[in-house]
Amino acid sequence: MAEVATLQRADELPLDYRSGLDAQNLLPAWTLLRALMPVGAAAPVAQPAQWSYAKLRPYLMRAAELVPMEKAERRVLGYVNPGLDRARLSTLPSIFFGLQLIMPGERAPNHKHIPAAARIIIEGEGAYTTVDGEKLHMEEGDVVLTPPLHWHDHGHEGKGPVVWMDVLDHPLAVPMDISYVVPGKMADGYNEQPDAGDTWYSCPGLVPYRAPGARGPDYPMRRFRWQRVKQALIASSEVASRDESVHMRYCNPETGESIMKTLDFSARMLRPGESVALKRASINRVFQIMEGNADIRVNEAAYGCGKNDTVAAPTYSAITLQNTSSSPCFIIQVDDLPTQTKLGFYEELA
Ligand code: 1HN
C-alpha cells in the first residue's frame, strides 16, 4: 500500500479561520477524512455481542408490571449494541432487535410507520398481528412481516405471556430523517379468514394468476410458518452433501426478493457436530437461535448459545457457527445484504 499522509488536524488551523468557517456552515473535510474513511479497511464501531434470553426474560416480565400498554404503545426491550450510541436504539448499525411482550387480553394499538418490522415468535400461544386487516396468527418460530406504512396492531386471545423478537430497520430510516409513525384508531374488526400464506401462497411455486405483465403486490405473504420452514430444512438436509450448507432464504413468492426491502431473513440448519465458517463480508448479521445449542465465534469472541439467544456480528467479522448439540440446531439469520447490494456497497473479503 502507498504511504499514508498524515492530514492536518482542525486545531492546526488558526482560530479565526475555523470560527469563520463555522459561521458559514463549512468544515474542512481533510480534518475528518481519516475518521470517515479509515485507510485500507473499515473499522466497525459496533461490537460483537450476545444476549441470553434466560437472563433477559425476568426484566421483560417485570415490564408488564411497570408499564401498562397505554404508556408504552409497544412493550419492547431493545437490544442495544455496546459500541453504538444508545439513542440510536440499534443492535447493529442497520438492524434493530428487541423483545416485545404482550399479556392476555392486551391490545397493542393500531399504527403505521416508515420503518419495516418483522417478528420472530419466541414463546407463548394465542397472540396475533393484524396487517391492513389481515389476521396473522403467531406460533412459536413464525416470521410475521409488517411492511412500511401498513396499519398493524397486536392482540392476545390466549393465556400466559407471549413474547416475540421485533426486527426493524429504523436504524436505516432515522439517519435519513424520514422516520415517523401515524397512530390509528383501534381496529374494531379484522378478517377472520386464513392468511395469504395458507391460501394464495400455500403451495411453493404457485402464485395467483395475473394479467400479462401485471406485477404482484410488494408484500404478498406476511406470515411464514416455522413448522414449514423447519420441515423444508430437514428434508433438504437429507439430500444435501456433507459440505453443503443447509441454508434457505425467506422470499417474496411473487418476485424472489427479500421479504423486507432492507433486510434478508434466512434459516439455517446445522447438523450435529457441523461447523460453518462464513465468508467475511461487509454485511451486518444477527443470529437468532431457534432450537438446539451453538457456539458462535465472532472475531475473538466465543458465545455459547441456547434456544432464543441472540448474537450480533458487525461488518467484516470472521464468523463460525458450530452446532454443539447432538440434535439439529436451527438458526434464523438477519442481515442487511439487500440494502448493501442495492447501494453497491456489498463486498466479500478473500
Ligand atoms: C414498533 O412500532 C413495534 O409496531 C415494535 O410492534 C418494536 C421498536 C422500536 C420502535 C417501534 C411494533 C418497535 C417499534
Side-chain angles (χ1 to χ4, degrees):
M1 202 187 301
E3 201 171 311
V4 181
T6 304
L7 305 182
Q8 188 184 54
R9 295 189 314 269
D11 63 8
E12 293 175 283
L13 288 164
L15 248 166
D16 69 308
Y17 181 69
R18 281 154 64 194
S19 49
L21 290 183
D22 252 359
Q24 306 285 334
N25 293 324
L26 293 170
L27 200 61
W30 60 92
T31 64
L32 281 176
L33 211 54
R34 295 285 187 256
L36 296 177
M37 296 178 210
V39 175
V45 290
Q47 289 174 24
Q50 178 190 35
W51 290 265
S52 148
Y53 185 65
K55 279 195 211 155
L56 306 179
R57 193 179 181 284
Y59 290 99
L60 189 65
M61 294 304 142
R62 212 169 148 209
E65 297 155 26
L66 296 175
V67 63
M69 195 60 86
E70 311 83 74
K71 288 281 179 190
E73 193 158 315
R74 298 293 189 264
R75 195 187 283 117
V76 179
L77 294 181
Y79 287 16
V80 293
N81 191 285
L84 300 176
D85 180 356
R86 302 169 77 75
R88 287 168 69 172
L89 194 62
S90 301
T91 309
L92 284 172
S94 54
I95 306 173
F96 168 83
F97 266 55
L99 285 176
Q100 181 161 170
L101 170 66
I102 186 164
M103 299 302 283
E106 284 185 337
R107 292 287 293 278
N110 210 21
H111 70 191
K112 61 179 182 178
H113 40 68
I114 282 281
R119 341 278 167 185
I120 305 171
I121 317 315
I122 300 290
E123 68 164 82
E125 280 170 25
Y128 62 88
T129 290
T130 72
V131 176
D132 281 348
E134 186 185 23
K135 190 175 185 182
L136 307 160
H137 292 277
M138 300 165 106
E139 286 173 26
E140 231 182 76
D142 291 354
V143 170
V144 171
L145 183 65
T146 310
L149 294 180
H150 284 55
W151 292 107
H152 59 283
D153 66 352
H154 312 295
H156 184 359
E157 301 165 321
K159 297 186 179 69
V162 169
V163 177
W164 60 80
M165 186 65 78
D166 283 310
V167 181
L168 281 93
D169 60 6
H170 66 251
L172 289 168
V174 170
M176 287 188 211
D177 270 353
I178 54 172
S179 187
Y180 68 94
V181 66
V182 184
K185 288 195 289 288
M186 191 61 89
D188 42 22
Y190 37 76
N191 209 329
E192 284 290 352
Q193 288 174 345
D195 65 62
D198 277 352
T199 53
W200 297 103
Y201 299 95
S202 57
C203 175
L206 207 62
V207 297
Y209 195 91
R210 293 188 198 289
R215 199 187 138 89
D218 271 353
Y219 304 99
M221 188 171 159
R222 286 98 179 243
R223 178 191 181 198
F224 300 80
R225 285 176 180 265
W226 174 246
Q227 286 311 320
R228 291 189 196 150
V229 172
K230 186 177 160 181
Q231 218 170 42
L233 290 168
I234 293 170
S236 306
S237 75
E238 282 161 9
V239 297
S241 63
R242 202 56 222 180
D243 55 1
E244 192 176 9
S245 283
V246 181
H247 189 187
M248 321 263 278
R249 249 181 84 241
Y250 291 79
C251 74
N252 173 338
E254 294 276 356
T255 63
E257 288 162 9
S258 53
I259 56 170
M260 225 184 240
K261 304 273 183 194
T262 47
L263 304 178
D264 240 339
F265 288 68
S266 59
R268 296 173 173 276
M269 175 180 145
L270 298 175
R271 289 151 284 198
E274 182 175 354
S275 175
V276 284
L278 308 189
K279 282 205 178 86
R280 286 186 65 198
S282 56
I283 47 176
N284 290 284
R285 289 176 260 213
V286 182
F287 302 97
Q288 180 69 27
I289 312 291
M290 303 303 291
E291 289 178 37
N293 297 312
D295 236 359
I296 300 187
R297 284 169 190 270
V298 183
N299 300 329
E300 285 75 45
Y303 304 112
C305 298
K307 186 175 163 71
N308 298 331
D309 291 352
T310 307
V311 169
T315 55
Y316 299 102
S317 296
I319 304 167
T320 58
L321 309 173
Q322 179 169 21
N323 181 356
T324 51
S325 38
S326 51
S327 49
C329 176
F330 297 96
I331 298 176
I332 287 183
Q333 174 178 325
V334 178
D335 61 64
D336 60 4
L337 181 66
T339 301
Q340 292 205 13
T341 306
K342 282 170 200 140
L343 297 178
F345 293 162
Y346 179 68
E347 68 164 347
E348 290 171 2
L349 300 189

